[in-house]
Amino acid sequence: EKMSNSSSITQFLLLAFADRRELQLLHFWLFLGIYLAALLGNGLIITAIACDHHLHTPMYFFLLNLSRLDLGSISTTVPKSMANSLWDSRAISYYGCAAQVFWFLFFVSSEYYLLTVMAYDRYVAICKPLHYGTLMDSRACIKLAGAAWGGGFLNAVLHTGNTFSIPFCQGNTVDQFFCEIPQILKLCCSDSYLRKAGVTVLSLCVACGGFLFLVLSYVHIFMVVLRIRSEQGQHKAFSTCLPHLAVVSLFASSAMFAYLKPPSILSPALNLVVAVLYAVVPPAVNPLIY
């Protein structure tokens, strides 16, 4: 009975940005502009780092990976939303929705782990400069980046499998412009509450662990930087850390709000704004910050 229930949903309906045609087209052009900016900015970073041998350092190697992940995450959500606005449609197929959840989670989780790795890289560079060459050699960098991508993949498999194995009986309307797990879980039958809670707790532990590591890294970094005698040295240290800190803050604060906000603040407009802040804005803004 449960199987027939969830498989009877062949498509989901995504939240439209607007009902009026002019506003739909405005949304299309706005998203197209952001998408092209993200493609251009991240494409330039990838090309510059790949082509310039002076940039073959750990910091830029991780930045190259960050740009790849940004391109992946924005390409998972924005083109479909643009197409729906253009064709005045809201539909996404069941498997299309599952694929969107998987790829988005894969890119976003990997990015979160990579930002944690980048904090470790900055920590070693500033707090243990003499050991930097040995601690962050090319093999170590490849392992760390691989761990970030691998962690994102495992996270995506786990959550996508868990979400789409729960039967849906609350309709098929997703209150978001892309398939986002918190919104899909609202459509689940009420008896799967425990699994929903399990997913949330697991995500929280992983997210908080990474966040704690980031905060501790930066506390150490700033303590060391403030001890540097020369103003030029301080400036150089801050200039390599602040872009990373800005990217992390934007990404983490909006994503945490989206996934942890209490159900009482459930205005679709607010959900939409927050989702744009953590899913659409960072990939376009990260290249500018860096």
Side-chain angles (χ1 to χ4, degrees):
E1 174 55 35
K2 279 192 171 179
M3 267 314 292
S4 67
N5 202 337
S6 59
S7 58
S8 63
I9 291 184
T10 55
Q11 63 172 18
F12 291 94
L13 295 176
L14 297 173
L15 189 65
F17 270 85
D19 297 329
R20 284 179 42 207
R21 194 69 194 128
E22 304 84 30
L23 291 174
Q24 283 177 341
L25 290 174
L26 177 68
H27 161 241
F28 170 80
W29 288 111
L30 195 64
F31 262 32
L32 181 66
I34 294 172
Y35 188 51
L36 291 176
L39 289 182
L40 181 69
N42 288 294
L44 284 172
I45 285 185
I46 291 169
T47 313
I49 295 171
C51 296
D52 187 346
H53 288 290
H54 296 113
L55 298 182
H56 291 184
T57 63
M59 185 170 127
Y60 288 106
F61 170 72
F62 294 131
L63 186 56
L64 174 87
N65 278 279
L66 185 74
S67 287
R68 285 175 180 164
L69 290 168
D70 276 336
L71 283 180
S73 70
I74 198 167
S75 299
T76 306
T77 54
V78 168
K80 177 65 184 164
S81 181
M82 279 161 44
N84 279 3
S85 277
L86 195 59
W87 310 124
D88 190 17
S89 153
R90 292 176 57 198
I92 183 168
S93 71
Y94 182 86
Y95 292 109
C97 188
Q100 206 174 43
V101 164
F102 173 80
W103 287 110
F104 182 70
L105 260 181
F106 169 54
F107 290 123
V108 167
S109 318
S110 301
E111 180 160 335
Y112 184 67
Y113 300 141
L114 187 72
L115 288 170
T116 310
V117 167
M118 289 167 86
Y120 173 70
D121 170 60
R122 295 295 81 214
Y123 165 74
V124 177
I126 289 169
C127 302
K128 303 190 169 165
L130 300 177
H131 301 287
Y132 188 70
T134 45
L135 284 174
M136 300 301 287
D137 63 353
S138 56
R139 188 179 292 173
C141 291
I142 289 167
K143 277 183 185 167
L144 285 167
W149 287 79
F153 179 77
L154 283 176
N155 199 30
V157 168
L158 184 81
H159 286 301
T160 310
N162 190 51
T163 304
F164 286 91
S165 61
I166 301 176
F168 301 112
C169 41
Q170 310 280 340
N172 68 337
T173 307
V174 179
D175 281 337
Q176 194 50 277
F177 72 93
F178 64 98
C179 286
E180 185 191 44
I181 287 186
Q183 306 303 330
I184 294 171
L185 288 177
K186 286 187 197 166
L187 311 177
C188 296
C189 304
S190 50
D191 60 355
S192 45
Y193 176 77
L194 270 174
R195 286 175 71 173
K196 288 197 245 183
V199 171
T200 311
V201 170
L202 186 71
S203 305
L204 257 178
C205 292
V206 172
C208 291
F211 198 67
L212 196 65
F213 182 83
L214 280 163
V215 171
L216 288 173
S217 299
Y218 271 99
V219 168
H220 275 289
I221 287 170
F222 287 136
M223 278 163 66
V224 171
V225 170
L226 293 173
R227 276 193 235 126
I228 295 175
R229 293 288 160 85
S230 75
E231 229 172 85
Q232 195 186 358
Q234 277 193 356
H235 178 75
K236 190 185 173 193
F238 276 125
S239 68
T240 62
C241 294
L242 292 177
H244 179 254
L245 209 53
V247 168
V248 170
S249 309
L250 173 71
F251 181 75
S253 54
S254 50
M256 279 178 176
F257 184 78
Y259 283 83
L260 305 177
K261 66 180 180 306
S264 53
I265 13 181
L266 275 186
S267 86
L270 187 66
N271 280 344
L272 213 56
V273 169
V274 171
V276 168
L277 273 181
Y278 85 90
V280 181
V281 172
V285 173
N286 287 356
L288 288 176
I289 294 178
Y290 275 106

